[in-house]
Amino acid sequence: MRLAVIGNSHIGSLKRAWDRISEEYASVEIVFFGAKGGGLGHLKVRGRRIVPTDKKVLNSIKFISRGHTGFDPTKHDVVLIYGVQGQPFFFPLENFYSAQCIRRVMEDLVRGRLHFRLATMIRRLSDIPVYIGHRPLSAEERISENQNLDSYTKGMALLNETMFAPMNVHMISQPAETIVNGNATDLKYTIGSRRLAVGNAIDDDPHPEEDVNHMNDEFGELWLRKFFAELGVERTEE
């Protein structure tokens, strides 16, 4: 399986995790395409490829992908769009809202956001399977009151059914074992998180201790293993 992973700084944890576990998945080849912040907003469709229109973003993509100057769907079997403004929807379990109100909230989470724009570009070029991984839930310490995931799981199911299924795209849930308090990532998965390497002086430097949005390599490994399991990719036998 030739997998393309397209995203912002959040792909750092996936990329380093892949370096750790790639030998366990001999049937998988991954090419990472990335740029920090909103850099991928400079991607445009040109012919049959998606290419950057900004030199800094071009340099970032070339460094991370080891030489690619753009994304060509015909070179891959599956695409994962990760981070880039992707957010889950939490279904309101304790209060009543009209179906129209709920749909409007979901549209606001999706329409015009970078992950949706990238998926739309890919769909213009190909019917290749497209998956989206929302940015990790912000991290918190675990509390004892509520560890129920119903709001998250029901919201994700509705978001996929309403917003992504019509374009044959699917948003992947964060591994359940990484979630605390029903709506946050366990704080332990931020410890030791590092910056995405894009070819500059701060490559792989630790994030500030107060950063609760970027996750470490352990989180990235759990995420990738869950993703591969959902795709039906088997681990290589020793």
Side-chain angles (χ1 to χ4, degrees), residues 4 76 141 190:
H76 306 275
E141 290 187 6
T190 66

Side-chain angles (χ1 to χ4, degrees), residues 175-237:
E177 63 267 39
T178 67
I179 301 176
V180 296
N181 311 329
N183 61 2
T185 301
D186 192 317
L187 202 58
K188 70 181 182 180
Y189 292 110
T190 66
I191 298 173
S193 70
R194 292 182 284 162
R195 300 178 188 276
L196 175 67
V198 296
N200 61 32
I202 61 172
D203 282 356
D204 293 316
D205 278 3
H207 285 114
E209 290 186 10
E210 61 272 18
D211 187 325
V212 294
N213 295 309
H214 290 90
M215 302 302 149
N216 59 26
D217 303 355
E218 182 182 358
F219 178 92
E221 180 176 334
L222 290 171
W223 205 99
L224 281 179
R225 291 191 188 281
K226 176 180 182 292
F227 180 52
F228 292 152
E230 293 193 19
L231 293 183
V233 177
E234 296 183 356
R235 295 170 66 175
T236 305
E237 295 183 4

Side-chain angles (χ1 to χ4, degrees), residues 10-31:
H10 292 293
I11 69 172
S13 68
L14 301 187
K15 190 172 186 297
R16 284 185 291 269
W18 179 239
D19 290 340
R20 294 166 49 172
I21 68 172
S22 58
E23 292 185 359
E24 300 179 32
Y25 296 92
S27 66
V28 179
E29 298 178 10
I30 302 183
V31 179

Side-chain angles (χ1 to χ4, degrees), residues 94 142-151 180-183:
E94 299 181 359
R142 182 185 183 97
I143 57 176
S144 59
E145 286 80 1
N146 179 21
Q147 298 300 323
N148 192 298
L149 298 181
D150 288 352
S151 176
V180 296
N181 311 329
N183 61 2

Side-chain angles (χ1 to χ4, degrees), residues 1 33 156 160 195:
M1 179 181 74
F33 300 83
M156 286 290 288
N160 273 310
R195 300 178 188 276

Side-chain angles (χ1 to χ4, degrees), residues 25-85:
Y25 296 92
S27 66
V28 179
E29 298 178 10
I30 302 183
V31 179
F32 290 86
F33 300 83
K36 293 181 178 181
L40 295 185
H42 293 282
L43 293 180
K44 303 292 182 183
V45 175
R46 294 287 185 269
R48 300 301 301 173
R49 301 171 72 234
I50 298 173
V51 299
T53 58
D54 177 86
K55 185 175 181 180
K56 183 177 179 180
V57 175
L58 172 61
N59 290 337
S60 175
I61 288 175
K62 287 178 68 175
F63 180 86
I64 294 171
S65 68
R66 299 181 180 178
H68 292 265
T69 58
F71 173 69
D72 181 349
T74 66
K75 304 297 184 183
H76 306 275
D77 302 310
V78 179
V79 181
L80 169 65
I81 301 168
Y82 189 76
V84 285
Q85 301 179 333

